[in-house]
Amino acid sequence: MGKVVVITSGKGGVGKTTAVANIGTALAQLGQQVVMVDTDIGLRNLDVVVGLENRIVYNLVDAVKGRCRLRQALVRDKHLENLFLLPAAQTEDKTAVTAEQMVELCRELKQDYDFVLIDSPAGIEQGFANAVAGAEQAVVITTPEVAAVRDADRVIGLLESRGLKEPQLIINRIRPDMVRRGDMMDMDDILDILAIRLLGIIPEDEHIVVSTNRGEPAVWDKGSRAGLAFRNISRRLMGEEVPLLPIFNHGGLVQRLRRLMGLK
Amino acid sequence: MLGLLQRLLGQETQSSKKIAKERLRLVLVHDRADVSPHFFEALKNDLVEVISKYMEIDTRRLEVKLHNSPEAVALVANIPVLGMKKNYGS
C-alpha cells in the first residue's frame, strides 16, 4: 500500500509542477512505483514538464467519470517503466470532479503504486480541495518572498484543518549569494515564521529552465544542483536521512568570518 | 570596498531581508487572526469567562481588537468594569 502525497503552495508560480516532476522522476529512479496526478483541470502543465504531452489519450476526468479504465488514462514515462502520469483534462474545469471522486481515485492508485504524487493547482478553491481530498501527507512549497510565504502560511492552516497534520516544507529558488548579502530570506527566517518541518531547499538553477524546455526533469542532469536537491528530497520521502546541500549549511566566507568574530 | 568593510563589521544599512521578514511577520499576525471569522468571538468569550471570576463587567460594551501600527501589532481590549467580586476566583 503506497502513500498519497499532495504538493501544494497557495501562490502560483513557485514551482509545484517542477517539484512534482522532479520528485516523481527521482523516486522512480530509486526503484519506486510512482504515479504523478495533475489536478490542475483546465490548465494542465505537468505533461509538458515531463515531456509526455504527445502521448495523452485519456485524462483524469475520463477515468473518474468511467469513460475509460483508470489504467488506460495512465501515461508511461519515456525512460522509466515504473513512472506514470495521470494528466488533467484541458477542456473542462475544476468542477468536473468532486472531492469524493478524488478520494476514491487515490485509494485505487495507492493499491498499485508506492507513491501517488498529487500536483495541486494554485489557489485555495475547489481545485485545491480536490487535490488534498485523497492525500494523507502534504508538502508545501514556497519561495523566499513575502507573498509566497504568506500564502504558504494560509495553506498550512487549511491543510491542518483538513486533518493533514504536520505538512513539510520545500523552499524553492534560494540564491545563496543573495542570502549572504542579506537580500533574501533564508531557511531559518522562513522556518521560524511558519513553524513547520523542512523537507528540503532547492537552489535557483538555470538547469531547471533548460530541462523544462526539453521536457526532461533536472534530476536526469548530474550537473544540476537543483536536480541533486530534488533527488535528496526524494530519498527523505523514502525515510532516509540526507543532510542539506553544503551551500546551505555554513553560509559564505563573510558570514563565517562574522560569526567567528561574534557579529552574527 | 567600504560596503564590504561595513558588511564585515555588521554595520550595513538595514538589509532588505530584514524588511521582508518584518513585513511578513506583521501581515501574518493579521492573516492568522482572520483565518477564522470566529476568532474574536472565541477570544471575547474566553476573556469574559476569566475576568468574570474577578469582576462584574459589561459584556455588551466590551471591545476587543487588534491595533495596528507600523512597528507592532497590539491586542487592545476595552472592558467596562461594573464592580468587583468579593469572593473572587470562585
Side-chain angles (χ1 to χ4, degrees), chain A residues 21-237:
Chain A
N22 280 284
I23 294 170
T25 305
L27 284 169
Q29 287 170 340
L30 292 164
Q32 301 291 298
Q33 296 289 327
V34 181
V35 60
M36 305 176 286
V37 182
D38 188 352
T39 63
D40 203 347
I41 299 168
L43 288 170
R44 77 174 172 214
N45 287 136
L46 186 54
D47 53 336
V48 290
V49 176
V50 293
L52 295 175
E53 67 273 21
N54 293 326
R55 302 186 180 201
I56 296 173
V57 182
Y58 296 107
N59 57 52
L60 170 71
V61 178
D62 295 327
V64 160
K65 297 210 163 156
R67 295 181 204 138
C68 67
R69 278 178 292 118
L70 180 51
R71 276 275 161 87
Q72 290 176 292
L74 299 177
V75 186
R76 188 192 293 256
D77 184 64
K78 283 185 266 186
H79 309 288
L80 295 161
E81 59 177 22
N82 50 339
L83 176 63
F84 292 85
L85 167 71
L86 179 53
Q90 182 67 342
T91 53
E92 309 201 41
D93 63 46
K94 307 286 189 271
T95 59
V97 296
T98 64
E100 293 73 34
Q101 287 170 325
M102 284 303 298
V103 171
E104 178 55 26
L105 177 81
C106 293
R107 200 189 56 75
E108 267 182 68
L109 286 172
K110 73 175 178 182
Q111 317 272 330
D112 295 332
Y113 296 89
D114 300 315
F115 282 94
V116 180
L117 298 183
I118 313 277
D119 184 12
S120 148
I124 51 173
E125 295 79 23
Q126 186 172 352
F128 168 79
N130 285 347
V132 303
E136 47 216 3
Q137 193 177 334
V139 173
V140 175
I141 182 160
T142 188
T143 56
E145 296 151 33
V146 177
V149 178
R150 178 196 202 176
D151 289 1
D153 183 72
R154 184 96 164 82
V155 160
I156 290 165
L158 291 172
L159 289 169
E160 286 175 346
S161 73
R162 283 161 187 273
L164 282 163
K165 303 295 178 201
E166 298 195 0
Q168 290 177 284
L169 186 74
I170 293 178
I171 305 171
N172 195 18
R173 309 192 66 172
I174 284 256
R175 288 187 49 181
D177 56 328
M178 291 191 73
V179 169
R180 281 197 288 276
R181 257 188 278 141
D183 278 329
M184 183 176 270
M185 285 189 286
D186 65 16
M187 161 180 95
D188 295 330
D189 298 322
I190 296 171
L191 291 178
D192 185 29
I193 282 170
L194 294 180
I196 178 177
R197 269 188 311 152
L198 182 72
L199 181 61
I201 310 178
I202 314 295
E204 173 85 57
D205 183 355
E206 290 183 3
H207 287 88
I208 292 288
V209 179
V210 176
S211 66
T212 308
N213 288 343
R214 295 209 166 106
E216 303 266 337
V219 290
W220 287 110
D221 185 343
K222 296 291 179 228
S224 164
R225 285 199 302 181
L228 176 58
F230 277 122
R231 286 201 296 277
N232 287 346
I233 283 177
S234 303
R235 287 163 60 197
R236 289 184 199 119
L237 280 174

Side-chain angles (χ1 to χ4, degrees), chain A residues 145-146 149-150 153-154 180-186 188-189 192-194 254 257-258 261 263, chain B residues 4 6-12 15-21 23-25 27-28 31-32 35:
Chain A
E145 296 151 33
V146 177
V149 178
R150 178 196 202 176
D153 183 72
R154 184 96 164 82
R180 281 197 288 276
R181 257 188 278 141
D183 278 329
M184 183 176 270
M185 285 189 286
D186 65 16
D188 295 330
D189 298 322
D192 185 29
I193 282 170
L194 294 180
V254 173
L257 262 175
R258 278 184 58 182
M261 294 158 70
L263 288 167
Chain B
L4 178 69
Q6 282 179 331
R7 228 177 293 152
L8 271 168
L9 296 172
Q11 291 174 340
E12 60 205 308
S15 70
S16 67
K17 155 196 143 154
K18 282 188 192 142
I19 299 169
K21 200 177 173 188
R23 290 175 60 218
L24 187 56
R25 199 184 60 75
V27 91
L28 286 184
D31 284 3
R32 286 172 181 169
V35 163

Side-chain angles (χ1 to χ4, degrees), chain B residues 47-59:
Chain B
L47 279 175
V48 166
E49 196 183 316
V50 172
I51 296 169
S52 295
K53 286 185 186 170
Y54 300 87
M55 302 169 191
E56 306 277 358
I57 55 177
D58 185 349
T59 51

